[in-house]
Amino acid sequence: MGKAKAVRITGARSSLTEDVRGRQRRYMISMAVRTVCVILAVVLWQESRIAAIIALVGGTVIPYFAVLFANAGREGAPTMPETFVGYQPPPALGPGGNAPAEES
């Protein structure tokens, strides 16, 4: 039998510490990619100018998006989960209607 998927039962956001840590991690990763782009631009300049220019453009544009995403703010509150997860049995009673009149 497979592992059951955990269901989040609260509408609370993640903690502020987790949010800041996640934004810092994304920023640091994007700056590492930028550093690689700049190094590639320097190394490839004599070999392939087109690849070096593409890497240089990447190293120039990435910081803009890194700052933009790092300062985007906290995520929205998650939506509440469905009440029933998985199989939902049909209702026990059908729709209401006129009951037949009893004869006396």
Side-chain angles (χ1 to χ4, degrees):
M1 186 179 246
K3 294 182 179 180
K5 182 180 173 185
V7 178
R8 188 172 181 172
I9 60 170
T10 180
R13 294 181 183 179
S14 60
S15 70
L16 183 59
T17 304
E18 289 176 14
D19 182 60
V20 170
R21 188 178 305 129
R23 288 192 281 151
Q24 286 175 340
R25 185 179 310 119
R26 286 190 303 271
Y27 183 79
M28 292 304 292
I29 290 170
S30 62
M31 287 296 106
V33 170
R34 176 196 185 238
T35 303
V36 169
C37 284
V38 171
I39 291 171
L40 277 174
V42 171
V43 170
L44 293 175
W45 190 255
Q46 294 298 321
E47 301 298 320
S48 172
R49 293 262 167 115
I50 294 173
I53 290 172
I54 291 171
L56 195 59
V57 168
T60 305
V61 173
I62 287 174
Y64 171 76
F65 290 106
V67 170
L68 188 70
F69 292 134
N71 293 327
R74 296 190 71 184
E75 80 281 356
T79 59
M80 295 299 289
E82 295 292 324
T83 305
F84 295 104
V85 178
Y87 173 74
Q88 295 182 13
L93 299 174
N98 294 335
E102 291 185 21
E103 294 184 24
S104 327

